[in-house]
Amino acid sequence: MNLLIAGASRGIGRQLVEQALAAGHAVTALARGLSKVAGGHERLRTVQGSVLDPAAVAAAMAGQNAVCCAIGVKTPWEQPTVFSEGTRRLLEAMKQAGVRRLVCITGIGAGDSRGHGGLLYDRVFFPLLLKTVYADKNRQESLIRASDTDWTIVRPGFLTNGPLTGNYRVLTDLTGVTAGRIARAEVAHFMLQELESNRYLRQTLLLTY
């Protein structure tokens, strides 16, 4: 599979690059800084640029079969519209290039997952630090849902740098659920498995232990 990974330089995106290459995929890594992207692999192509730059996104999109969107910000107040505007650029480029498959990360607090993060997260961290970020993630999810792509939206629980075990829960019904922790490696693993299986097409789900 020819796979574009947006936000490839760190976190889940970096895990995606490593796992996708190990699984035999051809990877195009789009990121503003590529120093942390594993270089020198024969199936790795790198495109340096912002997901907000239509030219960079179009160049990265050429020849792809699917897109993984793992864009993020280092601080909650950095680029408050990067999620929606970056996703808009990806969707536009996908339409132009005829690419239909998208797996995108948002997070706990987006859409109907709000209120499922636990008391401290829901009552303190979310309203004080994350409200603006998740307003944009809501816009991001709305753009994806309105698109004609074959999308899957992934909302991970609280991210850790733990090892890949393959032992985690995939939940589409959040009734009575409080999100727990999940390793970035597990999120990347699920995203690649979903690209192979297409089990959760046009669905939104929570990943947690």
Side-chain angles (χ1 to χ4, degrees):
M1 182 185 301
N2 294 333
L3 177 61
L4 169 60
I5 300 172
S9 63
R10 61 190 181 92
I12 295 168
R14 189 175 178 184
Q15 283 284 337
L16 277 166
V17 171
E18 294 173 1
Q19 292 188 33
L21 290 173
H25 299 297
V27 174
T28 297
L30 172 65
R32 289 177 294 175
L34 295 173
S35 61
K36 295 183 179 180
V37 178
H41 198 288
E42 63 182 2
R43 283 183 277 103
L44 175 63
R45 169 180 169 239
T46 59
V47 177
Q48 185 165 11
S50 170
V51 73
L52 301 175
D53 179 356
V57 175
M61 193 66 67
Q64 304 302 325
N65 302 121
V67 176
C68 285
C69 178
I71 58 178
V73 293
K74 293 181 181 179
T75 55
W77 50 87
E78 179 188 2
Q79 293 183 285
T81 62
V82 69
F83 298 102
S84 61
E85 291 305 314
T87 299
R88 188 190 305 277
R89 298 290 180 267
L90 287 172
L91 291 170
E92 290 169 352
M94 288 176 71
K95 186 171 184 178
Q96 288 294 321
V99 180
R100 292 193 54 82
R101 189 68 172 104
L102 172 66
V103 181
C104 183
I105 301 165
T106 59
I108 287 296
D112 61 2
S113 71
R114 185 169 181 178
H116 292 274
L119 183 63
L120 185 62
Y121 180 81
D122 294 335
R123 298 289 181 87
V124 180
F125 287 106
F126 188 93
L128 293 181
L129 295 175
L130 301 175
K131 188 174 181 180
T132 300
V133 169
Y134 274 87
D136 194 48
K137 286 180 180 283
N138 286 341
R139 292 189 290 269
Q140 178 186 27
E141 289 195 359
S142 294
L143 287 168
I144 293 169
R145 291 175 185 277
S147 74
D148 61 358
T149 59
D150 296 323
W151 54 265
T152 303
I153 294 173
V154 180
R155 296 168 176 160
F158 303 106
L159 294 167
T160 75
N161 290 320
L164 173 61
T165 68
N167 185 22
Y168 50 84
R169 293 184 294 160
V170 182
L171 304 174
T172 56
D173 183 356
L174 300 187
T175 303
V177 171
T178 298
R181 296 181 180 181
I182 186 74
R184 291 173 175 87
E186 312 274 34
V187 180
H189 176 267
F190 170 80
M191 293 173 76
L192 294 174
Q193 292 293 310
E194 173 58 18
L195 287 174
E196 296 285 350
S197 69
N198 293 322
R199 180 178 178 182
Y200 295 98
L201 285 176
R202 293 186 168 267
Q203 294 187 61
T204 303
L205 48 92
L206 165 67
L207 294 185
T208 189
Y209 289 125

